[in-house]
C-alpha cells in the first residue's frame, strides 16, 4: 500500500492512483443511476477530493475539510 512519505515520487503515484480510483467510483455511481454525486474528505481525503474536483465537472458538490491543528503542541 502506497502512502504519503518522504519519497515524493511514490507519494505522487499514490495520489494519482487515489484520484483515478475516485474518478472510477464517480463514473460507476453515475452509471448505476445516481442522480447526484458529491465528494467529502477530511485531511488527506480533503486533498484527494479537491484533486478530483479539479479534474472533473461531474461532481454536484465538493466538501474538502481540514481539521484544526496546532503544530506547536
Amino acid at each position: 500500500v502506497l502512502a504519503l512519505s518522504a519519497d515524493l515520487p511514490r507519494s505522487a503515484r499514490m495520489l494519482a492512483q487515489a484520484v483515478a480510483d475516485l474518478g472510477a467510483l464517480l463514473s460507476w455511481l453515475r452509471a448505476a443511476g445516481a442522480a447526484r454525486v458529491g465528494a467529502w474528505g477530511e485531511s488527506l481525503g480533503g486533498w484527494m477530493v479537491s484533486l478530483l474536483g479539479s479534474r472533473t465537472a461531474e461532481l454536484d458538490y465538493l466538501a474538502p475539510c481540514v481539521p484544526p491543528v496546532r503544530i506547536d503542541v
Side-chain angles (χ1 to χ4, degrees), residues 10 12 15 18 27 31 35 41-43 50 52 54 62 70-72:
R10 177 181 172 168
L15 284 169
S27 296
E42 186 172 318
S43 193
S50 294
L52 176 65
S54 73
L62 179 63
R70 286 187 53 189
I71 296 175
D72 63 335

Side-chain angles (χ1 to χ4, degrees), residues 1-70:
V1 174
L2 295 177
L4 287 178
S5 73
D7 184 344
L8 295 179
R10 177 181 172 168
S11 294
R13 287 191 306 273
M14 181 276 299
L15 284 169
Q17 183 62 56
V19 172
D21 290 347
L22 290 169
L25 175 61
L26 176 59
S27 296
W28 180 83
L29 289 169
R30 291 289 190 195
R36 297 184 58 160
V37 178
W40 176 89
E42 186 172 318
S43 193
L44 178 58
W47 188 15
M48 289 179 190
V49 298
S50 294
L51 291 171
L52 176 65
S54 73
R55 294 182 46 147
T56 182
E58 294 286 322
L59 292 170
D60 295 303
Y61 71 89
L62 179 63
C65 302
V66 178
V69 296
R70 286 187 53 189

